[in-house]
Amino acid sequence: MEFPENLKYTEEHEWVRLEGDNIAYVGITDFAQSELGELVYIEVETVGETLEQGDEFGTVEAVKTTSELYMPVSGTVLEFNSKLDDSEGDDPTLVNSSPYGDGWIVKIELSHPDELEDLMDAEAYQASIA
Amino acid sequence: MKNTPLNDKHLALGARMAEFAGYNMPISYSNIKDEHHCVRTNVGVFDVSHMGEFIVKGKEALDLIQLVTSNDASKIEIGQAQYSCLPNTDGGIVDDLLVYRLAEDNCAEGERAYMLVVNASNIEKDWNWISKHNSFDTRLINISDQTALLAVQGPKADEVLQKLTDIDLSELAYYTFTKGTMAGIDNVLISATGYTGSGGFELYVDIKNAEVLWDAVFEAGKAYDIQPIGLGARDTLRLEMGYCLYGNDITDETSPIEAGLGWITKTKKGEFNSRDIFIKQREEGVDRKLVGFKVEDRRVPRHGYGIEDLEGNAIGEVTSGTQSPTLDVPIGLGYVQKEFAAPGTEIAVVAGKKRLKAVVQRPPFVEKS
Protein backbone atom coordinates (compact mmCIF):
# COMPACT_ATOMS: atom_id res chain seq x y z
CA MET A 1 0.00 0.00 0.00
CA GLU A 2 1.37 3.39 -1.03
CA PHE A 3 1.26 6.76 0.68
CA PRO A 4 3.04 9.35 -1.46
CA GLU A 5 5.25 11.82 0.44
CA ASN A 6 3.99 14.86 -1.49
CA LEU A 7 0.41 14.52 -0.21
CA LYS A 8 -1.34 15.61 2.98
CA TYR A 9 -3.76 13.21 4.68
CA THR A 10 -6.84 13.41 6.91
CA GLU A 11 -8.31 11.18 9.58
CA GLU A 12 -11.22 10.63 7.19
CA HIS A 13 -8.77 8.91 4.81
CA GLU A 14 -8.66 11.64 2.21
CA TRP A 15 -5.56 13.08 0.58
CA VAL A 16 -4.83 16.57 -0.76
CA ARG A 17 -2.25 17.46 -3.40
CA LEU A 18 -1.45 21.16 -3.66
CA GLU A 19 -0.86 22.49 -7.18
CA GLY A 20 0.53 26.01 -7.11
CA ASP A 21 -0.52 28.36 -4.31
CA ASN A 22 -4.16 27.57 -3.68
CA ILE A 23 -5.42 24.90 -6.08
CA ALA A 24 -5.52 21.31 -4.91
CA TYR A 25 -6.71 17.86 -5.91
CA VAL A 26 -8.55 15.71 -3.36
CA GLY A 27 -9.11 11.97 -3.33
CA ILE A 28 -9.32 8.99 -0.98
CA THR A 29 -6.32 7.00 0.15
CA ASP A 30 -5.21 3.58 -0.97
CA PHE A 31 -6.19 2.35 2.49
CA ALA A 32 -9.70 3.83 2.12
CA GLN A 33 -10.33 2.29 -1.31
CA SER A 34 -9.08 -1.04 -0.09
CA GLU A 35 -11.37 -0.95 2.96
CA LEU A 36 -14.38 0.06 0.84
CA GLY A 37 -13.82 -2.48 -1.91
CA GLU A 38 -14.93 -1.97 -5.48
CA LEU A 39 -16.71 1.37 -5.89
CA VAL A 40 -19.98 1.41 -7.80
CA TYR A 41 -20.85 5.11 -7.75
CA ILE A 42 -19.41 8.44 -6.68
CA GLU A 43 -21.76 11.35 -6.17
CA VAL A 44 -20.51 14.94 -6.01
CA GLU A 45 -23.21 17.59 -6.26
CA THR A 46 -21.24 20.44 -4.69
CA VAL A 47 -19.35 21.75 -7.71
CA GLY A 48 -19.34 25.56 -7.47
CA GLU A 49 -20.02 25.54 -3.72
CA THR A 50 -17.69 27.00 -1.13
CA LEU A 51 -17.46 24.67 1.85
CA GLU A 52 -15.77 24.65 5.23
CA GLN A 53 -13.12 22.18 6.34
CA GLY A 54 -14.94 19.01 7.42
CA ASP A 55 -18.10 19.67 5.40
CA GLU A 56 -19.51 16.82 3.36
CA PHE A 57 -18.87 17.28 -0.36
CA GLY A 58 -19.96 13.94 -1.75
CA THR A 59 -20.63 10.25 -1.24
CA VAL A 60 -18.99 7.06 -2.43
CA GLU A 61 -20.95 3.86 -2.82
CA ALA A 62 -19.19 0.53 -2.66
CA VAL A 63 -21.00 -2.78 -3.07
CA LYS A 64 -20.97 -3.30 0.68
CA THR A 65 -21.09 0.15 2.18
CA THR A 66 -21.66 3.87 1.76
CA SER A 67 -19.12 6.46 2.85
CA GLU A 68 -19.31 10.26 2.98
CA LEU A 69 -16.57 12.48 1.59
CA TYR A 70 -15.44 15.45 3.72
CA MET A 71 -13.55 18.59 2.74
CA PRO A 72 -9.97 18.17 4.03
CA VAL A 73 -9.64 21.97 3.98
CA SER A 74 -12.01 24.86 3.37
CA GLY A 75 -12.48 25.81 -0.25
CA THR A 76 -14.55 25.98 -3.41
CA VAL A 77 -15.23 22.80 -5.35
CA LEU A 78 -14.09 23.63 -8.88
CA GLU A 79 -14.46 20.32 -10.64
CA PHE A 80 -15.58 16.71 -10.20
CA ASN A 81 -13.35 14.23 -12.01
CA SER A 82 -15.49 13.35 -15.03
CA LYS A 83 -13.60 10.10 -15.53
CA LEU A 84 -15.34 8.78 -12.41
CA ASP A 85 -18.86 9.72 -13.45
CA ASP A 86 -20.28 6.51 -14.80
CA SER A 87 -23.29 8.26 -16.36
CA GLU A 88 -20.67 9.48 -18.84
CA GLY A 89 -19.65 5.90 -19.50
CA ASP A 90 -16.63 6.24 -17.25
CA ASP A 91 -15.59 4.27 -14.29
CA PRO A 92 -15.67 4.87 -10.50
CA THR A 93 -13.31 1.90 -10.02
CA LEU A 94 -10.48 4.19 -11.19
CA VAL A 95 -10.42 5.18 -7.52
CA ASN A 96 -9.61 1.56 -6.69
CA SER A 97 -6.98 1.12 -9.35
CA SER A 98 -5.37 4.56 -9.15
CA PRO A 99 -6.37 6.33 -5.92
CA TYR A 100 -3.67 9.04 -6.19
CA GLY A 101 -3.65 9.38 -9.98
CA ASP A 102 -6.61 9.14 -12.37
CA GLY A 103 -8.83 8.40 -9.38
CA TRP A 104 -8.69 11.91 -7.90
CA ILE A 105 -12.21 13.00 -6.99
CA VAL A 106 -12.42 16.81 -6.88
CA LYS A 107 -10.30 19.82 -7.72
CA ILE A 108 -10.70 22.65 -5.19
CA GLU A 109 -9.61 26.21 -4.63
CA LEU A 110 -8.42 26.60 -1.06
CA SER A 111 -9.92 29.41 1.05
CA HIS A 112 -7.27 29.11 3.79
CA PRO A 113 -4.15 27.35 2.48
CA ASP A 114 -2.66 27.45 5.99
CA GLU A 115 -5.21 24.77 7.01
CA LEU A 116 -2.97 22.28 5.18
CA GLU A 117 -0.60 22.52 8.10
CA ASP A 118 -3.21 20.81 10.32
CA LEU A 119 -3.19 17.71 8.13
CA MET A 120 -1.00 14.64 8.48
CA ASP A 121 2.05 13.87 6.40
CA ALA A 122 2.48 10.40 4.89
CA GLU A 123 4.37 9.07 7.88
CA ALA A 124 1.80 10.27 10.42
CA TYR A 125 -1.08 8.94 8.32
CA GLN A 126 0.55 5.56 7.95
CA ALA A 127 1.04 5.43 11.71
CA SER A 128 -2.62 6.36 12.24
CA ILE A 129 -3.89 3.34 10.29
CA ALA A 130 -1.33 0.85 11.51
CA MET B 1 -12.80 -14.45 18.10
CA LYS B 2 -12.98 -17.99 16.74
CA ASN B 3 -11.38 -19.27 13.55
CA THR B 4 -13.03 -21.80 11.26
CA PRO B 5 -11.08 -25.02 10.51
CA LEU B 6 -10.29 -23.49 7.09
CA ASN B 7 -8.63 -20.35 8.41
CA ASP B 8 -5.17 -21.29 7.08
CA LYS B 9 -6.67 -21.75 3.61
CA HIS B 10 -8.19 -18.27 3.68
CA LEU B 11 -4.96 -16.67 4.80
CA ALA B 12 -2.97 -18.53 2.14
CA LEU B 13 -5.45 -17.28 -0.48
CA GLY B 14 -4.96 -13.71 0.74
CA ALA B 15 -8.60 -13.29 1.79
CA ARG B 16 -9.72 -10.05 3.32
CA MET B 17 -10.88 -11.22 6.76
CA ALA B 18 -13.26 -9.61 9.24
CA GLU B 19 -15.13 -10.52 12.39
CA PHE B 20 -18.64 -11.82 11.79
CA ALA B 21 -20.78 -13.30 14.57
CA GLY B 22 -17.70 -13.93 16.69
CA TYR B 23 -15.82 -15.66 13.88
CA ASN B 24 -12.88 -14.50 11.81
CA MET B 25 -14.44 -14.90 8.37
CA PRO B 26 -13.37 -14.31 4.75
CA ILE B 27 -15.28 -11.30 3.39
CA SER B 28 -13.75 -11.41 -0.06
CA TYR B 29 -10.84 -13.02 -1.89
CA SER B 30 -10.72 -11.01 -5.14
CA ASN B 31 -13.67 -8.62 -5.21
CA ILE B 32 -17.34 -9.00 -4.40
CA LYS B 33 -18.62 -8.43 -7.95
CA ASP B 34 -16.33 -11.01 -9.57
CA GLU B 35 -17.11 -13.52 -6.84
CA HIS B 36 -20.82 -12.88 -7.29
CA HIS B 37 -20.69 -13.43 -11.06
CA CYS B 38 -18.59 -16.55 -10.55
CA VAL B 39 -21.40 -18.16 -8.53
CA ARG B 40 -24.17 -17.00 -10.89
CA THR B 41 -22.45 -18.29 -14.04
CA ASN B 42 -20.03 -20.95 -12.90
CA VAL B 43 -19.22 -22.36 -9.44
CA GLY B 44 -17.84 -21.01 -6.17
CA VAL B 45 -17.03 -22.33 -2.71
CA PHE B 46 -17.95 -20.67 0.59
CA ASP B 47 -16.61 -21.60 3.99
CA VAL B 48 -19.67 -21.20 6.18
CA SER B 49 -18.38 -23.31 9.04
CA HIS B 50 -19.44 -20.59 11.44
CA MET B 51 -23.04 -21.83 11.15
CA GLY B 52 -24.33 -23.78 14.16
CA GLU B 53 -25.51 -27.39 14.14
CA PHE B 54 -27.57 -29.10 16.83
CA ILE B 55 -28.62 -32.72 16.88
CA VAL B 56 -32.06 -33.42 18.35
CA LYS B 57 -32.43 -37.09 19.12
CA GLY B 58 -34.97 -39.09 21.05
CA LYS B 59 -38.43 -40.58 21.17
CA GLU B 60 -40.03 -37.13 21.36
CA ALA B 61 -37.61 -35.26 19.09
CA LEU B 62 -40.44 -34.34 16.72
CA ASP B 63 -42.57 -33.00 19.59
CA LEU B 64 -39.79 -30.63 20.67
CA ILE B 65 -39.18 -29.44 17.11
CA GLN B 66 -42.89 -28.94 16.48
CA LEU B 67 -43.17 -26.80 19.62
CA VAL B 68 -40.21 -24.53 18.88
CA THR B 69 -40.41 -24.19 15.07
CA SER B 70 -43.09 -22.63 12.90
CA ASN B 71 -43.09 -24.98 9.91
CA ASP B 72 -44.67 -28.43 10.04
CA ALA B 73 -41.78 -30.75 10.83
CA SER B 74 -44.10 -33.79 10.78
CA LYS B 75 -44.01 -33.53 6.99
CA ILE B 76 -40.24 -34.06 6.74
CA GLU B 77 -39.20 -37.51 5.59
CA ILE B 78 -35.77 -38.99 6.23
CA GLY B 79 -33.42 -37.37 3.70
CA GLN B 80 -35.37 -34.13 3.50
CA ALA B 81 -34.60 -30.67 4.80
CA GLN B 82 -37.02 -27.89 5.66
CA TYR B 83 -36.68 -24.14 6.05
CA SER B 84 -38.29 -22.94 9.25
CA CYS B 85 -38.03 -20.42 12.04
CA LEU B 86 -37.98 -20.39 15.83
CA PRO B 87 -40.71 -17.99 16.94
CA ASN B 88 -40.34 -16.39 20.35
CA THR B 89 -43.45 -16.11 22.53
CA ASP B 90 -44.16 -12.48 21.59
CA GLY B 91 -44.67 -13.06 17.87
CA GLY B 92 -41.05 -12.34 16.91
CA ILE B 93 -38.31 -14.57 15.56
CA VAL B 94 -35.48 -16.06 17.65
CA ASP B 95 -33.76 -17.35 14.51
CA ASP B 96 -34.38 -18.90 11.12
CA LEU B 97 -33.00 -22.36 10.49
CA LEU B 98 -32.91 -25.54 8.46
CA VAL B 99 -34.33 -28.75 9.92
CA TYR B 100 -32.84 -31.98 8.54
CA ARG B 101 -34.45 -35.32 9.32
CA LEU B 102 -31.54 -37.73 9.63
CA ALA B 103 -31.43 -41.47 9.03
CA GLU B 104 -32.24 -43.54 12.09
CA ASP B 105 -29.48 -46.16 11.94
CA ASN B 106 -27.94 -44.85 15.18
CA CYS B 107 -31.28 -44.51 16.90
CA ALA B 108 -32.86 -46.87 19.42
CA GLU B 109 -36.31 -48.24 18.66
CA GLY B 110 -38.86 -45.43 18.36
CA GLU B 111 -36.28 -42.65 18.32
CA ARG B 112 -35.89 -40.00 15.67
CA ALA B 113 -32.91 -37.80 14.86
CA TYR B 114 -32.85 -34.32 13.40
CA MET B 115 -30.17 -31.76 12.72
CA LEU B 116 -30.96 -28.08 13.17
CA VAL B 117 -28.72 -25.62 11.32
CA VAL B 118 -28.80 -22.16 12.86
CA ASN B 119 -27.14 -18.79 12.37
CA ALA B 120 -23.69 -18.35 13.90
CA SER B 121 -24.73 -15.18 15.71
CA ASN B 122 -27.54 -17.06 17.44
CA ILE B 123 -25.95 -20.36 18.45
CA GLU B 124 -26.01 -19.67 22.17
CA LYS B 125 -29.38 -17.92 22.10
CA ASP B 126 -30.99 -20.77 20.14
CA TRP B 127 -29.40 -23.41 22.32
CA ASN B 128 -30.78 -21.77 25.44
CA TRP B 129 -34.16 -21.19 23.86
CA ILE B 130 -34.61 -24.76 22.63
CA SER B 131 -33.20 -26.26 25.84
CA LYS B 132 -35.66 -24.21 27.86
CA HIS B 133 -38.51 -25.81 25.93
CA ASN B 134 -37.12 -29.31 26.13
CA SER B 135 -39.38 -31.05 28.60
CA PHE B 136 -39.48 -34.01 26.26
CA ASP B 137 -37.84 -37.40 26.09
CA THR B 138 -35.17 -36.09 23.77
CA ARG B 139 -31.53 -34.98 23.82
CA LEU B 140 -29.99 -31.90 22.36
CA ILE B 141 -26.35 -32.07 21.24
CA ASN B 142 -24.38 -29.07 20.02
CA ILE B 143 -22.00 -30.28 17.27
CA SER B 144 -21.18 -26.77 15.96
CA ASP B 145 -17.54 -26.88 17.00
CA GLN B 146 -16.98 -30.28 15.38
CA THR B 147 -18.74 -29.45 12.12
CA ALA B 148 -17.38 -27.65 9.07
CA LEU B 149 -19.69 -26.48 6.32
CA LEU B 150 -18.72 -25.83 2.71
CA ALA B 151 -21.28 -24.38 0.32
CA VAL B 152 -20.46 -25.26 -3.28
CA GLN B 153 -22.83 -23.11 -5.29
CA GLY B 154 -23.49 -22.33 -8.92
CA PRO B 155 -24.67 -23.99 -12.14
CA LYS B 156 -21.49 -26.09 -12.41
CA ALA B 157 -21.53 -27.30 -8.80
CA ASP B 158 -23.07 -30.70 -9.71
CA GLU B 159 -20.45 -31.44 -12.33
CA VAL B 160 -17.58 -30.54 -10.02
CA LEU B 161 -18.82 -32.51 -7.02
CA GLN B 162 -19.88 -35.50 -9.12
CA LYS B 163 -16.18 -36.09 -9.81
CA LEU B 164 -15.67 -36.67 -6.09
CA THR B 165 -18.42 -39.15 -5.30
CA ASP B 166 -20.23 -42.27 -6.55
CA ILE B 167 -23.54 -40.93 -5.28
CA ASP B 168 -25.65 -39.77 -8.22
CA LEU B 169 -25.99 -36.09 -7.39
CA SER B 170 -28.51 -35.50 -10.17
CA GLU B 171 -30.90 -37.64 -8.12
CA LEU B 172 -30.65 -35.26 -5.19
CA ALA B 173 -33.66 -32.94 -5.44
CA TYR B 174 -33.71 -29.42 -3.99
CA TYR B 175 -34.00 -29.57 -0.20
CA THR B 176 -33.02 -33.21 0.05
CA PHE B 177 -29.74 -34.68 1.29
CA THR B 178 -27.80 -37.87 1.71
CA LYS B 179 -24.81 -39.02 3.70
CA GLY B 180 -21.95 -40.71 1.95
CA THR B 181 -18.38 -40.75 0.79
CA MET B 182 -16.97 -37.72 -0.97
CA ALA B 183 -13.33 -37.21 -1.88
CA GLY B 184 -12.58 -40.37 0.08
CA ILE B 185 -14.09 -38.92 3.25
CA ASP B 186 -16.88 -40.94 4.89
CA ASN B 187 -19.98 -39.45 6.42
CA VAL B 188 -20.18 -36.25 4.43
CA LEU B 189 -23.70 -34.87 4.60
CA ILE B 190 -24.43 -33.69 1.06
CA SER B 191 -27.38 -31.32 1.00
CA ALA B 192 -28.99 -29.84 -2.12
CA THR B 193 -29.58 -26.49 -0.46
CA GLY B 194 -28.04 -23.06 -0.49
CA TYR B 195 -28.39 -19.34 0.06
CA THR B 196 -27.55 -18.07 -3.42
CA GLY B 197 -30.38 -19.03 -5.79
CA SER B 198 -27.85 -20.50 -8.22
CA GLY B 199 -28.18 -24.16 -7.23
CA GLY B 200 -25.50 -26.35 -5.73
CA PHE B 201 -24.81 -28.13 -2.49
CA GLU B 202 -23.90 -27.64 1.12
CA LEU B 203 -21.42 -30.15 2.53
CA TYR B 204 -21.31 -30.84 6.26
CA VAL B 205 -18.13 -32.56 7.32
CA ASP B 206 -16.16 -33.28 10.48
CA ILE B 207 -13.69 -30.44 11.08
CA LYS B 208 -10.77 -32.86 10.90
CA ASN B 209 -11.60 -33.47 7.22
CA ALA B 210 -12.43 -29.89 6.28
CA GLU B 211 -9.11 -29.05 4.64
CA VAL B 212 -8.99 -32.31 2.69
CA LEU B 213 -12.48 -31.71 1.34
CA TRP B 214 -11.73 -28.05 0.53
CA ASP B 215 -8.62 -29.03 -1.44
CA ALA B 216 -10.43 -31.85 -3.25
CA VAL B 217 -13.28 -29.55 -4.30
CA PHE B 218 -10.82 -26.99 -5.70
CA GLU B 219 -8.85 -29.70 -7.47
CA ALA B 220 -12.04 -31.11 -9.04
CA GLY B 221 -13.15 -27.61 -9.98
CA LYS B 222 -9.91 -26.52 -11.60
CA ALA B 223 -11.18 -27.14 -15.13
CA TYR B 224 -14.24 -25.03 -14.27
CA ASP B 225 -12.21 -22.16 -12.84
CA ILE B 226 -13.81 -22.66 -9.44
CA GLN B 227 -13.21 -19.73 -7.03
CA PRO B 228 -13.45 -19.17 -3.26
CA ILE B 229 -16.30 -16.80 -2.36
CA GLY B 230 -16.53 -14.58 0.72
CA LEU B 231 -19.37 -13.35 2.89
CA GLY B 232 -19.60 -10.13 0.85
CA ALA B 233 -20.85 -11.95 -2.22
CA ARG B 234 -22.92 -14.27 -0.06
CA ASP B 235 -24.89 -11.18 0.94
CA THR B 236 -25.33 -9.80 -2.60
CA LEU B 237 -26.34 -13.24 -3.88
CA ARG B 238 -28.98 -13.81 -1.19
CA LEU B 239 -30.30 -10.28 -1.52
CA GLU B 240 -30.89 -10.66 -5.25
CA MET B 241 -33.08 -13.64 -4.29
CA GLY B 242 -34.83 -11.72 -1.52
CA TYR B 243 -33.75 -14.29 1.06
CA CYS B 244 -34.00 -12.92 4.61
CA LEU B 245 -30.91 -12.34 6.73
CA TYR B 246 -31.41 -12.75 10.45
CA GLY B 247 -30.53 -9.59 12.34
CA ASN B 248 -31.43 -7.42 9.33
CA ASP B 249 -34.70 -8.49 7.73
CA ILE B 250 -35.96 -10.70 10.52
CA THR B 251 -35.34 -10.16 14.23
CA ASP B 252 -36.84 -10.77 17.66
CA GLU B 253 -39.20 -7.88 16.83
CA THR B 254 -40.52 -9.02 13.44
CA SER B 255 -43.17 -11.64 12.85
CA PRO B 256 -42.83 -14.26 10.12
CA ILE B 257 -46.20 -13.09 8.78
CA GLU B 258 -44.85 -9.56 8.38
CA ALA B 259 -41.63 -10.90 6.85
CA GLY B 260 -43.42 -12.82 4.08
CA LEU B 261 -42.60 -16.11 5.80
CA GLY B 262 -46.23 -17.13 6.09
CA TRP B 263 -45.34 -20.13 3.94
CA ILE B 264 -43.22 -21.55 6.78
CA THR B 265 -45.79 -20.62 9.45
CA LYS B 266 -48.14 -23.60 9.63
CA THR B 267 -50.69 -22.51 12.20
CA LYS B 268 -52.80 -25.60 11.50
CA LYS B 269 -50.09 -28.06 12.59
CA GLY B 270 -50.92 -27.80 16.29
CA GLU B 271 -49.50 -25.87 19.23
CA PHE B 272 -46.20 -23.96 18.88
CA ASN B 273 -44.72 -20.73 20.23
CA SER B 274 -46.70 -17.62 19.23
CA ARG B 275 -49.19 -19.66 17.22
CA ASP B 276 -52.17 -17.65 18.52
CA ILE B 277 -50.48 -14.37 17.59
CA PHE B 278 -49.84 -15.62 14.06
CA ILE B 279 -53.43 -16.88 13.67
CA LYS B 280 -54.65 -13.43 14.68
CA GLN B 281 -52.21 -11.71 12.30
CA ARG B 282 -53.44 -13.97 9.49
CA GLU B 283 -57.08 -13.16 10.23
CA GLU B 284 -56.73 -9.44 10.85
CA GLY B 285 -53.73 -8.70 8.65
CA VAL B 286 -50.49 -7.05 9.75
CA ASP B 287 -49.71 -3.32 9.78
CA ARG B 288 -46.35 -3.62 8.02
CA LYS B 289 -44.82 -5.95 5.49
CA LEU B 290 -41.34 -6.78 4.31
CA VAL B 291 -41.04 -5.83 0.64
CA GLY B 292 -38.36 -5.75 -2.00
CA PHE B 293 -37.66 -2.58 -3.92
CA LYS B 294 -35.51 -1.32 -6.75
CA VAL B 295 -33.98 2.14 -6.42
CA GLU B 296 -34.18 4.44 -9.44
CA ASP B 297 -31.02 6.31 -8.54
CA ARG B 298 -27.34 5.46 -8.33
CA ARG B 299 -27.21 5.75 -4.56
CA VAL B 300 -27.49 2.47 -2.68
CA PRO B 301 -30.02 1.80 0.11
CA ARG B 302 -28.54 0.59 3.41
CA HIS B 303 -29.81 -1.06 6.58
CA GLY B 304 -31.45 1.58 8.78
CA TYR B 305 -32.32 4.16 6.10
CA GLY B 306 -35.86 5.50 6.41
CA ILE B 307 -38.60 4.88 3.86
CA GLU B 308 -41.15 7.59 3.04
CA ASP B 309 -44.17 7.91 0.81
CA LEU B 310 -44.07 10.43 -2.04
CA GLU B 311 -45.48 13.12 0.28
CA GLY B 312 -42.56 12.65 2.67
CA ASN B 313 -44.41 10.77 5.44
CA ALA B 314 -42.37 8.10 7.21
CA ILE B 315 -43.73 4.66 6.25
CA GLY B 316 -40.94 2.26 7.11
CA GLU B 317 -37.29 1.34 7.18
CA VAL B 318 -34.70 -0.37 4.98
CA THR B 319 -33.45 -3.67 6.45
CA SER B 320 -30.96 -4.70 3.72
CA GLY B 321 -29.59 -3.01 0.64
CA THR B 322 -26.84 -3.39 -1.91
CA GLN B 323 -25.84 -2.74 -5.48
CA SER B 324 -27.08 -5.79 -7.38
CA PRO B 325 -24.04 -7.07 -9.29
CA THR B 326 -26.28 -8.91 -11.78
CA LEU B 327 -28.62 -6.01 -12.57
CA ASP B 328 -26.15 -3.22 -11.78
CA VAL B 329 -28.86 -1.28 -9.97
CA PRO B 330 -29.39 -0.71 -6.25
CA ILE B 331 -31.88 -3.08 -4.59
CA GLY B 332 -33.15 -3.51 -1.07
CA LEU B 333 -35.54 -5.06 1.40
CA GLY B 334 -37.47 -3.15 4.02
CA TYR B 335 -40.61 -2.94 6.09
CA VAL B 336 -43.36 -0.59 4.90
CA GLN B 337 -46.89 0.07 6.08
CA LYS B 338 -49.19 -2.42 4.42
CA GLU B 339 -50.81 0.21 2.15
CA PHE B 340 -47.45 0.58 0.39
CA ALA B 341 -46.62 -3.10 0.01
CA ALA B 342 -48.14 -3.75 -3.41
CA PRO B 343 -45.65 -4.30 -6.26
CA GLY B 344 -45.35 -1.18 -8.38
CA THR B 345 -45.90 1.23 -5.46
CA GLU B 346 -43.59 4.23 -5.60
CA ILE B 347 -41.71 4.98 -2.39
CA ALA B 348 -38.69 7.06 -1.38
CA VAL B 349 -35.59 5.87 0.46
CA VAL B 350 -33.98 8.49 2.67
CA ALA B 351 -30.17 8.52 2.27
CA GLY B 352 -28.96 11.36 4.44
CA LYS B 353 -30.17 14.56 2.82
CA LYS B 354 -31.29 12.78 -0.33
CA ARG B 355 -34.54 11.02 -1.14
CA LEU B 356 -34.08 8.19 -3.59
CA LYS B 357 -37.04 7.15 -5.73
CA ALA B 358 -37.78 3.45 -5.46
CA VAL B 359 -40.43 1.04 -6.66
CA VAL B 360 -41.73 -1.91 -4.67
CA GLN B 361 -41.01 -5.18 -6.40
CA ARG B 362 -41.64 -8.77 -5.39
CA PRO B 363 -38.33 -10.65 -5.06
CA PRO B 364 -36.47 -12.47 -6.48
CA PHE B 365 -34.87 -9.57 -8.32
CA VAL B 366 -32.96 -12.05 -10.44
CA GLU B 367 -34.46 -15.25 -11.80
CA LYS B 368 -33.55 -18.29 -9.77
CA SER B 369 -31.72 -21.06 -11.56
Side-chain angles (χ1 to χ4, degrees), chain A:
Chain A
M1 216 170 270
E2 278 183 62
F3 304 99
E5 295 288 338
N6 59 329
L7 308 182
K8 290 287 201 172
Y9 299 86
T10 74
E11 285 171 5
E12 303 289 350
H13 311 290
E14 277 135 12
W15 57 259
V16 190
R17 188 179 71 232
L18 191 64
E19 299 266 317
D21 292 339
N22 62 347
I23 301 295
Y25 290 85
V26 174
I28 64 170
T29 67
D30 201 5
F31 174 76
Q33 71 77 19
S34 132
E35 287 292 304
L36 289 166
E38 192 171 38
L39 298 191
V40 296
Y41 179 61
I42 301 169
E43 182 175 86
V44 173
E45 296 181 332
T46 49
V47 174
E49 291 180 28
T50 301
L51 302 170
E52 297 291 313
Q53 187 174 33
D55 283 355
E56 193 181 315
F57 72 88
T59 306
V60 293
E61 296 282 4
V63 175
K64 227 172 48 163
T65 184
T66 301
S67 186
E68 312 302 344
L69 298 166
Y70 301 100
M71 289 293 276
V73 289
S74 306
T76 305
V77 181
L78 299 178
E79 190 183 335
F80 170 43
N81 183 359
S82 63
K83 284 186 182 167
L84 306 181
D85 182 357
D86 76 345
S87 60
E88 311 272 320
D90 287 312
D91 189 358
T93 62
L94 272 178
V95 173
N96 297 105
S97 55
S98 177
Y100 307 114
D102 285 347
W104 63 271
I105 297 176
V106 289
K107 187 176 170 182
I108 63 172
E109 181 178 357
L110 281 66
S111 312
H112 310 292
D114 54 334
E115 283 174 351
L116 282 173
E117 287 161 27
D118 309 340
L119 305 186
M120 287 179 273
D121 61 17
E123 199 184 340
Y125 178 68
Q126 229 167 324
S128 77
I129 58 172

Side-chain angles (χ1 to χ4, degrees), chain B residues 170-188:
Chain B
S170 66
E171 293 282 298
L172 217 52
Y174 193 48
Y175 270 78
T176 68
F177 69 96
T178 188
K179 248 186 192 181
T181 303
M182 178 170 272
I185 304 160
D186 293 333
N187 270 320
V188 180

Side-chain angles (χ1 to χ4, degrees), chain B residues 305-316:
Chain B
Y305 284 9
I307 300 177
E308 295 180 348
D309 66 13
L310 297 185
E311 276 82 59
N313 303 304
I315 57 163

